[in-house]
Amino acid sequence: DIQMTQSPASLSASLGETVTIECLASEDIYSNLAWYQQKPGKSPQLLIYYANSLNDGVPSRFSGSGSGTQYSLKINSLQSEDVSIYFCQQNYDSPRTFGGGTKLELK
Amino acid sequence: QVQLQQSGAELAKPGTSVKLSCKASGYTFTSYYIYWVKQRPGQGLEWIGYIYPGNGGTYYSEKFKGKATFTADTSSSTAYMLLGSLTPEDSAYYFCAREDTEGIGDYWGQGVMVTVSS
């Protein structure tokens, strides 16, 4: 199975800041990487797919990058509604595997 | 619009089974995979496996082989997951999600809480 290592596990930032979350795959996943946002009590929502493609309706302050085994999610100009848990998932191979998640809080 | 509507919360006793449902609408049910994900409260996401309603093909993550069984009813556009031999470790939220042709989970159900307790 492909292992996904996500960092940091938690993150505290101020409104307007830029934050970055990293995801490392145990092998090359050829940009088959998605990012999800999960708000408390809700199901995950797709933010980014193919490592850098923004899903419909997702604010442009979110962006994804990376290739090979290393990927990142960047949130520019942090807003209060961005407080959530963020997960990466590889969809290159089955079983699809998730990173452990990053809990983003406001400082 | 695409929607996945999951059944209500379940309370079950250890050793029994529960069958969760995921009713799809707004798209051609037989053309997309449905996968299931487990999330224990305050924990991360575990991918359980998928079913392809078009032909009934299934895939199970090694950890969930023997625990989960997927079926699909194309007449009602509903996917099911049977969880058997329940233990307290099975207490969790379970989500269904649609996987598009590129393997991306683009739409998710609202989730259902399963509580296993005597």
Side-chain angles (χ1 to χ4, degrees):
Chain A
D1 297 1
I2 297 175
Q3 307 302 314
M4 304 300 293
T5 304
Q6 192 174 335
S7 62
S10 63
L11 183 54
S12 182
S14 302
L15 292 174
E17 261 192 67
T18 294
V19 301
T20 300
I21 299 168
E22 309 280 344
C23 199
L24 178 67
S26 60
E27 61 184 82
D28 195 330
I29 57 172
Y30 301 95
S31 298
N32 289 282
L33 190 283
W35 290 97
Y36 296 90
Q37 177 190 58
Q38 186 179 31
K39 297 191 176 183
K42 300 294 187 182
S43 57
Q45 299 294 306
L46 178 66
L47 293 175
I48 303 275
Y49 59 95
Y50 285 141
N52 60 15
S53 295
L54 205 62
N55 194 27
D56 291 343
V58 175
S60 59
R61 63 180 180 274
F62 290 90
S63 63
S65 64
S67 62
T69 61
Q70 296 184 294
Y71 300 87
S72 61
L73 172 70
K74 186 165 77 169
I75 310 173
N76 288 315
S77 189
L78 189 68
Q79 304 295 303
S80 57
E81 60 264 32
D82 300 334
V83 170
S84 301
I85 301 177
Y86 294 86
F87 295 95
C88 61
Q89 184 202 26
Q90 65 82 17
N91 56 288
Y92 174 68
D93 196 11
S94 293
R96 313 300 195 208
T97 40
F98 292 94
T102 295
K103 186 174 184 179
L104 176 59
E105 298 175 316
L106 284 179
K107 193 179 292 183
Chain B
Q1 71 282 23
V2 175
Q3 288 190 330
L4 297 174
Q5 183 65 39
Q6 296 187 239
S7 46
E10 298 272 2
L11 174 61
K13 294 189 184 305
T16 65
S17 301
V18 292
K19 191 172 186 179
L20 310 181
S21 67
C22 174
K23 183 172 176 56
S25 60
Y27 73 97
T28 302
F29 181 62
T30 51
S31 297
Y32 293 82
Y33 292 80
I34 293 284
Y35 68 69
W36 294 84
V37 172
K38 176 182 179 181
Q39 185 175 40
R40 302 202 72 185
Q43 303 298 309
L45 302 172
E46 287 186 271
W47 192 84
I48 299 171
Y50 62 62
I51 184 167
Y52 186 67
N55 60 13
T58 57
Y59 178 99
Y60 299 92
S61 177
E62 197 64 36
K63 178 179 177 179
F64 292 95
K65 286 180 180 175
K67 169 63 64 177
T69 304
F70 306 137
T71 56
D73 178 356
T74 57
S75 67
S76 63
S77 297
T78 303
Y80 299 92
M81 177 172 67
L82 177 70
L83 292 171
S85 303
L86 291 170
T87 73
E89 298 303 304
D90 297 315
S91 295
Y93 283 95
Y94 291 87
F95 297 96
C96 64
R98 186 185 85 159
E99 182 176 278
D100 75 3
T101 53
E102 302 299 326
I104 299 160
D106 56 357
Y107 290 91
W108 291 60
Q110 81 275 22
V112 58
M113 181 67 199
V114 173
T115 303
V116 182
S117 174
S118 54

